Amino acid sequence: MSIMKLTATTAAIALTTTAAFARDNVQVAGSSTVLPYASIVAEVFGENFDFPTPVIESGGSSAGLKRFCEGVGENTIDIANASRAIRPAEVEACAAAGVTDIIEVRIGYDGIVFASDINGNAFEFTPEDWYKALAAEHFIDGELVPNTLSNWNEVNPDFPDQPIQAFIPGTKHGTREVFEEKVILAGCEDGGFFQAMLDAGVDEDTAEGTCMAIRTDGRSVDIDGDYTETLARIDADNNGIGVFGLSFYENNTNKLQVATMNGVVPTTESIAAGDYPVSRPLYFYIKAAHIGVIPGLKEFAEFFVSDEIAGPDGPLAEYGLVSDPELADVQETVADEVVMGSGT
């Protein structure tokens, strides 16, 4: 999408209340991955600025963006956190509800890691391993057959004889989309299964959907809560392997061990260098019509992406965020209130 400058006309949208009667705190909801970063910023912001501490809620990227797109006004949230980019359909839903000016803010990058009980077996994964383990069906000898693999050593003979028990993000989480595309679909392609379907006459969209369909026989369990729930599942079943954000893993290294992916250990350095294959940008989206009406909204957004907070030496980097190499451009986007749009 192209971008355009927020004009005086578009800024004057449709808040039915005046600044004098608006609520006095910024309200944020969305991604559980972005949640700890936003919470850190909100706490420091509340301690250092003459504004109330912003209220930060979780619920998942899709749920947060759905709330964000409910409309304009003090009864709607100001910011949606997301561990994926907003989808065109969501932009359309926003517009239909009067949310026509949205500022997209990329805060940095995070990696999706695969971690298990610290006292359990170690793994060196490839995307193909995860595809074979979790795909609902495999395309073998020209036909789709149900996935009956039950142990990791059936997936890869170099792996231990350990039951397949995966705890993956539920479908409302932005992490799920990245997991499906960068791990499951990539593994299907790497193993030749995707091409085999195309060669057999399956159309591309159907083949892609088949690749990313996850088995539902209990070997893979969707986690609709945050990463603490995934960790609790592994605490209860030390055969379990969970999908986490890098920062969550790095704050739980006393309980978890991390697997490599394509031979690369996930670290802030390997993600920043582009070596680790399963990483993604993190975002928050601002309702531009609320700027100047909800006290502290723009100040909070500018503080969030400031050098001292989101830079490589800031507290977010200490927690695991990989600083955006184009942070100065992001800062300019917020300062100038540059909105997403279809215009030029």
Side-chain angles (χ1 to χ4, degrees):
M1 292 187 180
S2 58
I3 59 175
M4 59 183 177
K5 292 283 185 178
L6 180 65
T7 66
T9 301
T10 55
I13 292 184
L15 277 179
T16 57
T17 180
T18 66
F21 294 98
R23 55 179 157 78
D24 63 356
N25 62 324
V26 175
Q27 294 186 355
V28 184
S31 167
S32 58
T33 301
V34 180
L35 173 68
Y37 302 124
S39 298
I40 290 169
V41 180
E43 182 178 354
V44 179
F45 181 80
E47 292 172 351
N48 291 277
F49 287 78
D50 191 23
F51 296 105
T53 301
V55 176
I56 314 293
E57 300 178 58
S58 186
S61 298
S62 296
L65 285 164
K66 183 177 181 180
R67 289 181 61 186
F68 182 81
C69 292
E70 287 176 349
V72 173
E74 64 176 305
N75 61 330
T76 65
I77 65 172
D78 311 303
I79 292 176
N81 293 329
S83 56
R84 59 167 175 81
I86 191 171
R87 297 168 180 150
E90 290 166 330
V91 174
E92 292 173 6
C94 270
V99 184
T100 55
D101 293 317
I102 302 170
I103 302 171
E104 181 180 73
V105 183
R106 189 179 61 229
I107 66 168
Y109 292 83
D110 185 37
I112 296 175
V113 308
F114 303 83
S116 54
D117 186 89
I118 194 169
N119 296 314
N121 293 309
F123 285 85
E124 297 179 354
F125 288 123
T126 66
E128 185 178 350
D129 296 326
W130 277 90
Y131 166 74
K132 288 180 177 178
L134 297 195
E137 298 176 301
H138 292 152
F139 193 75
I140 300 174
D141 297 329
E143 62 180 359
L144 288 169
V145 298
N147 185 355
T148 60
L149 301 180
S150 59
N151 280 37
W152 281 107
N153 64 342
E154 296 176 278
V155 171
N156 185 327
D158 293 332
F159 288 165
D161 183 7
Q162 175 176 317
I164 296 170
Q165 184 60 79
F167 300 112
I168 68 174
T171 54
K172 70 179 181 179
H173 291 287
T175 308
R176 174 61 171 262
E177 184 174 302
V178 180
F179 172 71
E180 288 177 343
E181 293 182 357
K182 291 201 170 186
V183 181
I184 301 300
L185 178 58
C188 185
E189 294 172 342
D190 292 346
F193 301 98
F194 181 76
Q195 187 61 49
M197 282 188 270
L198 298 182
D199 293 343
V202 178
D203 69 86
E204 188 169 332
D205 287 344
T206 300
E208 186 173 291
T210 300
C211 281
M212 292 191 292
I214 302 296
R215 64 195 298 181
T216 58
D217 58 357
R219 296 291 175 187
S220 179
V221 177
D222 282 8
I223 302 298
D224 291 326
D226 58 21
Y227 294 134
T228 57
E229 182 180 344
T230 307
L231 179 59
R233 294 294 191 103
I234 292 175
D235 284 341
D237 180 358
N238 59 16
N239 286 319
I241 300 176
V243 177
F244 299 93
L246 174 66
S247 61
F248 186 90
Y249 158 71
E250 289 186 332
N251 283 276
N252 288 277
T253 54
N254 59 324
K255 297 180 180 179
L256 295 169
Q257 61 174 312
V258 73
T260 60
M261 182 61 71
N262 285 346
V264 180
V265 178
T267 63
T268 55
E269 292 78 15
S270 64
I271 292 170
D275 296 330
Y276 185 68
V278 197
S279 61
R280 42 55 189 296
L282 303 178
Y283 301 91
F284 65 80
Y285 292 87
I286 309 168
K287 200 170 291 180
H290 285 198
I291 292 177
V293 179
I294 303 300
L297 175 55
K298 184 172 181 179
E299 290 83 355
F300 173 67
E302 290 183 314
F303 183 63
F304 201 131
V305 298
S306 63
D307 289 339
E308 59 266 36
I309 295 297
D313 298 318
L316 301 189
E318 291 179 9
Y319 196 85
L321 183 73
V322 177
S323 182
D324 193 324
E326 299 177 353
L327 188 58
D329 292 338
V330 175
Q331 292 165 351
E332 185 176 342
T333 293
V334 176
D336 293 346
E337 300 174 26
V338 180
V339 303
M340 302 173 63
S342 57
T344 56

